[in-house]
Amino acid sequence: QISVHLVEVSPKLAEIQAENLTVEKTGRILDENAYKQGFTKTGLSICWYRSLQDVPRGCAFYLANEFFDALPIHKFQKTEQGWREILVDVNPQLSNELRFVLAPFATLSSETLIKTGEERMHVEVSPDAGLIIETVTDRISSHGGALLVADYGHVGIKGDTFRGFRGHKLHDVLKEPGTADLTADVDFSYLQSVTAGKVKCLGPITQQEFLRNMCIDVRLQVLLNNANNPSTYQQLINAYDMLMNPEKMGERFKFFAMVPHSRLAAPEKNHKKLKPMSPPVAGFSVIEMGR
């Protein structure tokens, strides 16, 4: 039986999600840890939780779309005295303005979150992301399932990526707090290190590669062949370009996955039979189309 479990800390957003996803609100308790419950028009149950820890354990598919980039981060700068944490302070000349300052001494975070041998001058680390990956790793290794992450990110090579957006335009992260979306690119190498080898990590790969592996070109051709007017045809071409163009979303967005090691286990050989090879993981393997 399939059910949907959403982690949403905002009751207001949960209300909007429920309006779009459910047609029936239930009075009976589906899960005592959920703060909102309902059913889709096809009968699937949906529950809302404030924390991943509240979601029932079991075989599950975890989807995180532009989730990790919105989590809090610690920022660090390499100095002649060693790593120093970058903090937010009130500007002494203008009490209604904020500013970034370097911690005068090493902090607990700068002494524990920077990996040995780090060569970058500026590093961003999200301990919250690490804790969530630890939880999901434990669940996948114990109960099966998979995690798929779609987000902006890198593999431990970028430095200062912290930025704000308001109205789809860049916005100073320290100006008018609470009015802009704050984001920092996900360090996928950090997420992978947190798994400690307990699960198999795939990627990150670019959105262009992921969608091509998912046969987006075949899908586009089918849609174009069925487009009934020039406007729809052009909209499809433009949407494809936005998703696949390296200068747009094609290389900016990355896909990363975690699966149990057994999912990709090599076939077992003996004298009597050969265990079938596991099928490829969709999106992370090239699918050969039959003729």
Side-chain angles (χ1 to χ4, degrees), residues 40-265:
T40 69
K41 62 180 180 181
T42 58
L44 288 180
S45 67
I46 303 182
C47 294
W48 279 261
Y49 306 84
R50 292 185 174 85
S51 168
L52 178 60
Q53 301 290 348
D54 296 330
V55 177
R57 296 175 68 88
C59 183
F61 181 85
Y62 300 89
L63 177 62
N65 180 45
E66 290 192 69
F67 169 75
F68 285 100
D69 75 301
L71 295 178
I73 60 168
H74 287 262
K75 293 171 64 66
F76 305 98
Q77 181 73 43
K78 183 182 289 186
T79 72
E80 293 181 355
Q81 291 74 39
W83 286 99
R84 294 292 182 264
E85 188 165 7
I86 299 175
L87 307 174
V88 177
D89 186 26
V90 175
N91 190 330
Q93 277 74 45
L94 298 168
S95 60
N96 62 338
E97 286 191 3
L98 300 175
R99 63 173 184 170
F100 286 120
V101 297
L102 279 179
F105 305 102
T107 62
L108 178 62
S109 296
S110 66
E111 292 182 333
T112 57
L113 295 179
I114 303 296
K115 66 181 181 182
T116 303
E118 178 60 68
E119 297 182 353
R120 288 173 291 171
M121 296 299 295
H122 194 114
V123 173
E124 297 166 338
V125 182
S126 174
D128 286 19
L131 290 174
I132 290 171
I133 288 295
E134 279 187 350
T135 299
V136 176
T137 295
D138 176 64
R139 292 184 175 211
I140 290 176
S141 61
S142 300
H143 304 287
L147 164 71
L148 179 64
V149 177
D151 224 321
Y152 300 94
H154 59 94
V155 286
I157 59 175
K158 290 186 178 181
D160 184 9
T161 70
F162 184 45
R163 58 203 184 277
F165 288 93
R166 189 170 70 177
H168 301 288
K169 295 181 180 180
L170 282 170
H171 181 80
D172 189 326
V173 295
L174 298 183
K175 294 280 182 68
E176 301 172 281
T179 65
D181 292 326
L182 304 182
T183 178
D185 285 4
V186 179
D187 184 348
F188 290 107
S189 65
Y190 169 67
L191 301 189
Q192 184 169 353
S193 70
V194 171
T195 69
K198 296 178 181 178
V199 294
K200 176 65 177 178
C201 296
L202 304 173
I205 61 175
T206 65
Q207 176 168 281
Q208 182 188 69
E209 183 179 357
F210 180 86
L211 293 179
R212 187 152 284 147
N213 289 343
M214 295 292 288
C215 301
I216 188 176
D217 296 302
V218 176
R219 177 60 176 163
L220 174 66
Q221 194 58 55
V222 171
L223 293 174
L224 292 176
N225 290 340
N226 288 281
N228 53 18
N229 60 70
S231 176
T232 300
Y233 191 97
Q234 190 58 48
Q235 287 176 7
L236 290 168
I237 295 296
N238 293 341
Y240 177 88
D241 181 64
M242 175 60 71
L243 292 172
M244 300 292 285
N245 191 326
E247 299 300 320
K248 297 179 181 178
M249 298 297 295
E251 291 189 358
R252 296 178 186 174
F253 223 50
K254 306 294 194 305
F255 282 76
F256 172 81
M258 291 167 23
V259 296
H261 283 291
S262 59
R263 173 64 178 78
L264 299 175

Side-chain angles (χ1 to χ4, degrees), residues 4-25:
V4 179
H5 305 263
L6 301 178
V7 177
E8 177 56 73
V9 297
S10 168
K12 178 62 176 179
L13 291 179
E15 285 290 341
I16 296 174
Q17 293 160 6
E19 289 176 4
N20 289 295
L21 296 175
T22 63
V23 295
E24 174 189 350
K25 294 182 179 180

